[in-house]
Amino acid sequence: MKSTTMNRRTFLKVTTVAGGGLLVGCSFSSPKLLSTPNDVKEDLGMWVRIGKDDKITLILPASEMGQQAHTGQAMLVAEELEADWNSIRVVTAPANPDYLNPMKVPPFDQQGTGGSDSISGFWDKLRQVGAGTRQMLTAAAAQEWGVPASECKAESGRVRHSGSGRSLSYGQLASAAAKLSPPDDPVLKSPQQFRLIGKSITKLHTPSRVNGTAQYGIDVRRPGMLFATVSQSPVFGGQVKSYDEAAAKAVRGVEAVVPIPNGVAVVADSTWHAKQGLEALKPQFEGGESAGLDSAKVTARLRAALDEMGKAKVTAEKVLDVEYEMPYLHHAAMEPMNCTAYVTTDSCEVWVPHQIQEFCMDAAKEVTGFSEEQIRIHTMMMGGSFGRKQTKEYVEQALIISKFIQKPVQVIWSREEDTQHGTYRPTSMSRIQVGLGGDGLPVQWERQVAQPSFAAQFIPLLGWIDFDPMTIPGSVHDYVVPDHFYKVEGVNMTHSPVELGVPVGPWRSPPNSINVFYTESVMDELAKLAGQDPLEYRLKFLGESPKHKAVLEQAARQAGWGNPLPEGRGRGIGINDWFPLDVDEAKTVVAQVAEVSVSKRGKLKVERVDCVVDCGLAVNPDSVRAQMEGSIIMGMSATLFEQVTLEDGRVAQSNFDDYRIARMRDIPEINVSIVKNDSAPTGTGEPGTSPIVPAITNAIFAATGKRIRRLPIGKQKLV
């Protein structure tokens, strides 16, 4: 069959569906399919490519960082396309504004992956892509046979004629379908008709991850490529003072020494030789925004900010007055920061594991001065991110070095460089004063919080405002954005940004990873002060939140809440919701119960965690469970062990020997239940990380009477 090749501009003109920039993208050309993201071409089409061999390549907007977004998004298209799942292959979409997530709002309306909305944001759009493509293929078959389209049915990658039994594969129909006008309003299935969505389908990337063929950022290889290692000022914002270039160039394989912002790079014929060259370079640094800062000073400045705000005067029968503190946290992704770039005199290519393609494009334009038409961004699979791979500095470094040497170069940060030059989860300190009435319910709830401004990194103007809106979600409040699911009267909150010169950024569920610990810990303390059961006390605040109430009650039943435990054991509970929209059904709700044991010598072990999640329709239940399990382990690790400390303006930790994370021996029994719900999906990547933190600390209190108000637990005495 004669192939049809469509360039990108022609393609955009002829494949608009549903009137809103929705592009089906049936670009049909040769049967050469893509095996890695390195092969992505601009003329593939926006969404779907079908080869003569019946293989279907989906160009998907989400970055894949282990959260199985590619599998979930592919299921949305394949469901409506009536494709054979075994024929599906996927690549990450190139940088292009047409791949913007419909759910994103300014200033977050860039092409990127985050906020647990890879499925929820594209729920309608990708299904329309699949349905529109299916209808075009069905219409092409009807024309071929000269029969009404109503007599033709698509299933499992073929279109069949009910009257004659004839059938044609999608590959056979592709060229003819590409010549047809897409439907204006593709007909979508009802949930009762789903055959893929809602099933635990095999993950698309599992085979390649198991056999080692999966292509991550550090796996990129280009002809003539060199390798670079970097050394950046250990004091944030510092500058290079001196280095021994001659000594570095004397090392075997070293080809260049290149200045980069806040540091210097050594380029060689291998990463090992570059590393040896960097050691010989002996760079020295000076200055920096965090110079002289240590953890004791951080704590003192946070407490001073709280003191300046002052405590509220609370008059009530019973008053709770407490202070909580949380540390800086590192993302600790297994794959360190890396980027490969090739800058020529008139073009630029970038291969990078990154969550936000638009930022990569911006970096390339800034460094090269090229237009977007001269730049190609290849988004590689990520070996973890958790919010870290959203910045531009490591992309800029590769671009600067490649432009300098006029060759392709791969920059890989060492583990030490990765640990000590992160964008950390902000440190935070909060004081809460709550007054209880005669019924044990709050009549006044006051909160003061001191922490660096998280939102200012996204909206620089907020750096001039004495309030960070990202201190609100996850905390009890009555703001319009919306108010918290715990309905409490007399709520007041004040915030003082404390800028310390340490870079901060999103860490899997910002800002809930901070505020849920505060909120759920205080709710437990109030229950104790009121002389009530922690579960029953919480339920009193959920009269207007039936979804939260149902999830909380199910988690408690699953965990055996109220059943007696041996001495030294206790249960604690925590609940969180996500995404912060003012629509109850648009939120994911997660409740978790932790059961811990504390020996007579004070040794802590998390024995069991029960988790219930209501995330709307679970597109792939196995992926949802995996997200909950991973979130629980990550949150537990932060609770027990993790913290970034500062010494003389620099991060003290450097690798996994002194930045401890949870290991296999620390992992408890984890039981995850998914609430059956046929409403639209609401996201699962982040909401499970936060409630496990207070669930553990509340369980410790139940077991020992010891209240944990500062994290990590570390070596705090529990008996």
Coordinates of all heavy atoms in Angstrom, one line a residue, residues 365-404:
K365 N 17.2 27.8 24.1 CA 17.1 29.1 23.4 C 18.0 30.1 24.0 O 18.7 30.9 23.4 CB 15.7 29.6 23.4 CG 14.8 28.8 22.5 CD 13.4 29.5 22.2 CE 12.6 29.5 23.5 NZ 11.2 30.1 23.2
E366 N 18.1 30.1 25.4 CA 18.9 31.1 26.1 C 20.4 30.9 25.8 O 21.1 31.9 25.6 CB 18.6 31.1 27.6 CG 17.2 31.6 28.0 CD 16.8 31.1 29.4 OE1 17.7 30.5 30.1 OE2 15.6 31.4 29.8
V367 N 20.8 29.7 25.8 CA 22.3 29.4 25.7 C 22.7 29.5 24.2 O 23.8 30.1 24.0 CB 22.6 28.0 26.2 CG1 24.0 27.6 25.9 CG2 22.4 27.9 27.7
T368 N 21.9 29.1 23.3 CA 22.3 29.0 21.9 C 21.9 30.3 21.1 O 22.5 30.6 20.1 CB 21.7 27.8 21.2 OG1 20.3 27.9 21.1 CG2 22.1 26.5 21.9
G369 N 20.8 30.9 21.5 CA 20.2 32.0 20.7 C 19.4 31.5 19.5 O 19.0 32.3 18.7
F370 N 19.2 30.2 19.4 CA 18.5 29.6 18.3 C 17.0 29.8 18.5 O 16.5 30.0 19.6 CB 18.8 28.1 18.2 CG 20.2 27.8 17.8 CD1 20.8 26.6 18.1 CD2 21.0 28.8 17.1 CE1 22.1 26.3 17.7 CE2 22.3 28.5 16.8 CZ 22.9 27.2 17.1
S371 N 16.3 29.6 17.4 CA 14.8 29.6 17.4 C 14.3 28.2 17.8 O 15.1 27.2 17.7 CB 14.2 30.0 16.1 OG 14.5 29.0 15.1
E372 N 13.1 28.0 18.1 CA 12.6 26.7 18.5 C 12.7 25.7 17.3 O 12.8 24.5 17.5 CB 11.1 26.8 18.9 CG 10.9 27.5 20.3 CD 9.5 27.4 20.8 OE1 8.7 26.6 20.3 OE2 9.2 28.1 21.8
E373 N 12.6 26.2 16.1 CA 12.7 25.3 14.9 C 14.1 24.7 14.8 O 14.2 23.7 14.1 CB 12.3 26.1 13.6 CG 10.9 26.5 13.5 CD 10.4 27.5 14.4 OE1 11.2 28.3 14.9 OE2 9.2 27.5 14.7
Q374 N 15.1 25.3 15.4 CA 16.4 24.8 15.3 C 16.8 23.9 16.5 O 17.9 23.3 16.5 CB 17.4 26.0 15.3 CG 17.3 26.9 14.1 CD 18.2 28.1 14.3 OE1 17.8 29.0 15.0 NE2 19.4 28.1 13.6
I375 N 15.8 23.7 17.4 CA 16.1 22.9 18.6 C 15.2 21.7 18.7 O 14.0 21.8 18.4 CB 15.9 23.8 19.9 CG1 16.8 25.1 19.8 CG2 16.0 23.1 21.2 CD1 16.4 26.1 20.8
R376 N 15.7 20.6 19.2 CA 15.0 19.4 19.4 C 15.2 18.9 20.8 O 16.4 18.7 21.2 CB 15.3 18.3 18.3 CG 14.5 17.1 18.5 CD 14.7 16.1 17.4 NE 14.2 16.6 16.1 CZ 14.4 16.1 14.9 NH1 15.2 15.1 14.8 NH2 13.9 16.7 13.9
I377 N 14.2 18.7 21.6 CA 14.3 18.2 22.9 C 13.8 16.7 23.0 O 12.7 16.5 22.6 CB 13.5 19.0 23.9 CG1 13.8 20.5 23.8 CG2 13.6 18.5 25.4 CD1 15.2 20.9 24.2
H378 N 14.6 15.8 23.4 CA 14.3 14.4 23.6 C 14.1 14.2 25.1 O 15.1 14.3 25.8 CB 15.3 13.5 23.0 CG 15.7 13.7 21.6 ND1 14.9 13.3 20.5 CD2 16.7 14.4 21.0 CE1 15.4 13.7 19.4 NE2 16.6 14.3 19.7
T379 N 13.0 13.8 25.6 CA 12.7 13.6 27.0 C 13.0 12.1 27.2 O 12.3 11.2 26.7 CB 11.3 13.9 27.4 OG1 11.1 15.3 27.1 CG2 11.1 13.8 28.9
M380 N 14.0 11.8 28.0 CA 14.4 10.4 28.3 C 13.6 9.9 29.6 O 13.1 10.7 30.4 CB 15.9 10.3 28.6 CG 16.7 10.9 27.5 SD 16.4 10.2 25.9 CE 16.9 8.5 26.2
M381 N 13.5 8.6 29.7 CA 13.0 8.0 30.9 C 13.8 8.4 32.1 O 15.1 8.5 32.0 CB 12.9 6.5 30.7 CG 11.5 6.0 30.9 SD 11.3 4.2 30.9 CE 12.6 3.5 29.9
M382 N 13.2 8.5 33.2 CA 13.9 9.0 34.4 C 14.0 7.9 35.4 O 13.0 7.1 35.7 CB 13.1 10.2 35.1 CG 13.3 11.5 34.4 SD 12.3 12.8 35.1 CE 11.0 12.8 33.8
G383 N 15.1 7.8 36.1 CA 15.3 6.9 37.2 C 15.0 7.6 38.5 O 15.8 7.7 39.4
G384 N 13.7 8.0 38.6 CA 13.2 8.7 39.7 C 13.4 10.2 39.6 O 14.3 10.7 38.8
S385 N 12.5 11.0 40.2 CA 12.6 12.4 40.2 C 12.0 13.0 41.4 O 12.6 13.7 42.2 CB 11.9 13.0 38.9 OG 11.9 14.4 39.0
F386 N 10.7 12.7 41.7 CA 10.0 13.2 42.9 C 9.9 14.7 43.0 O 9.8 15.3 44.0 CB 10.6 12.6 44.1 CG 10.9 11.2 44.0 CD1 12.2 10.7 44.1 CD2 9.9 10.2 43.9 CE1 12.5 9.4 44.0 CE2 10.2 8.9 43.8 CZ 11.5 8.4 43.8
G387 N 10.0 15.4 41.8 CA 10.0 16.9 41.8 C 11.4 17.5 41.5 O 11.5 18.7 41.2
R388 N 12.4 16.7 41.6 CA 13.8 17.3 41.5 C 14.1 17.7 40.0 O 14.7 18.7 39.8 CB 14.8 16.3 42.0 CG 16.3 16.8 41.8 CD 16.6 18.1 42.5 NE 17.9 18.6 42.3 CZ 18.2 19.5 41.4 NH1 17.2 20.0 40.6 NH2 19.4 20.0 41.3
K389 N 13.7 16.9 39.1 CA 14.2 17.1 37.7 C 13.2 18.1 37.0 O 12.6 17.8 36.0 CB 14.3 15.8 36.9 CG 15.4 14.9 37.5 CD 15.6 13.6 36.7 CE 16.8 12.8 37.1 NZ 16.5 12.0 38.3
Q390 N 13.1 19.3 37.6 CA 12.3 20.3 37.0 C 13.1 21.6 36.8 O 12.6 22.6 36.3 CB 11.1 20.7 37.9 CG 10.1 19.6 38.1 CD 8.9 20.0 38.8 OE1 8.5 21.2 38.7 NE2 8.3 19.1 39.6
T391 N 14.4 21.6 37.1 CA 15.2 22.8 37.0 C 16.0 22.8 35.7 O 16.2 21.8 35.1 CB 16.1 22.9 38.2 OG1 16.9 21.7 38.3 CG2 15.3 23.1 39.5
K392 N 16.6 23.9 35.4 CA 17.3 24.1 34.1 C 18.8 24.0 34.3 O 19.5 23.9 33.2 CB 16.9 25.5 33.5 CG 15.5 25.6 33.1 CD 15.3 26.8 32.2 CE 15.5 28.1 33.0 NZ 15.1 29.3 32.1
E393 N 19.4 24.0 35.5 CA 20.8 24.2 35.6 C 21.6 23.1 34.9 O 22.7 23.4 34.3 CB 21.3 24.5 37.0 CG 21.4 23.2 37.9 CD 20.1 22.7 38.4 OE1 19.0 23.0 37.8 OE2 20.1 22.0 39.4
Y394 N 21.2 21.9 35.1 CA 22.0 20.8 34.5 C 21.8 20.7 33.0 O 22.7 20.2 32.3 CB 21.6 19.4 35.2 CG 20.2 18.9 35.0 CD1 20.0 17.8 34.3 CD2 19.2 19.5 35.7 CE1 18.7 17.3 34.1 CE2 17.9 19.0 35.6 CZ 17.6 17.9 34.8 OH 16.4 17.4 34.7
V395 N 20.7 21.2 32.5 CA 20.5 21.3 31.0 C 21.4 22.4 30.5 O 22.1 22.2 29.5 CB 19.0 21.6 30.7 CG1 18.8 21.7 29.2 CG2 18.1 20.6 31.4
E396 N 21.4 23.5 31.2 CA 22.3 24.7 30.7 C 23.7 24.2 30.7 O 24.5 24.6 29.8 CB 22.1 25.8 31.7 CG 20.7 26.5 31.6 CD 20.4 27.5 32.7 OE1 21.1 27.4 33.7 OE2 19.5 28.3 32.5
Q397 N 24.1 23.5 31.7 CA 25.5 23.0 31.8 C 25.9 22.2 30.5 O 27.0 22.5 29.9 CB 25.8 22.2 33.0 CG 25.7 23.0 34.3 CD 25.7 22.1 35.6 OE1 25.8 20.9 35.5 NE2 25.6 22.7 36.7
A398 N 25.1 21.3 30.2 CA 25.4 20.5 29.0 C 25.4 21.3 27.7 O 26.3 21.2 26.8 CB 24.4 19.4 28.8
L399 N 24.5 22.3 27.6 CA 24.5 23.1 26.4 C 25.7 24.0 26.4 O 26.3 24.2 25.3 CB 23.2 24.0 26.5 CG 21.9 23.3 26.3 CD1 20.7 24.1 26.8 CD2 21.7 23.0 24.8
I400 N 26.1 24.6 27.5 CA 27.2 25.5 27.5 C 28.5 24.8 27.1 O 29.3 25.2 26.3 CB 27.4 26.1 28.9 CG1 26.3 27.1 29.2 CG2 28.8 26.8 29.1 CD1 26.2 27.6 30.6
I401 N 28.6 23.5 27.7 CA 29.9 22.8 27.4 C 29.9 22.3 25.9 O 30.9 22.4 25.2 CB 29.9 21.5 28.3 CG1 30.0 22.0 29.8 CG2 31.1 20.6 28.0 CD1 29.8 20.9 30.8
S402 N 28.8 21.9 25.4 CA 28.7 21.4 24.0 C 29.0 22.6 23.1 O 29.7 22.5 22.1 CB 27.4 20.8 23.7 OG 27.3 20.4 22.3
K403 N 28.4 23.7 23.4 CA 28.6 24.9 22.5 C 30.1 25.3 22.6 O 30.7 25.7 21.5 CB 27.8 26.1 23.1 CG 27.9 27.4 22.3 CD 27.0 28.4 22.8 CE 27.1 29.7 22.0 NZ 26.3 30.8 22.6
F404 N 30.8 25.1 23.7 CA 32.2 25.5 23.8 C 33.1 24.5 23.0 O 34.0 24.9 22.3 CB 32.6 25.4 25.3 CG 34.0 25.8 25.6 CD1 34.3 27.2 25.8 CD2 35.0 24.9 25.7 CE1 35.6 27.6 26.0 CE2 36.3 25.2 25.9 CZ 36.6 26.6 26.1

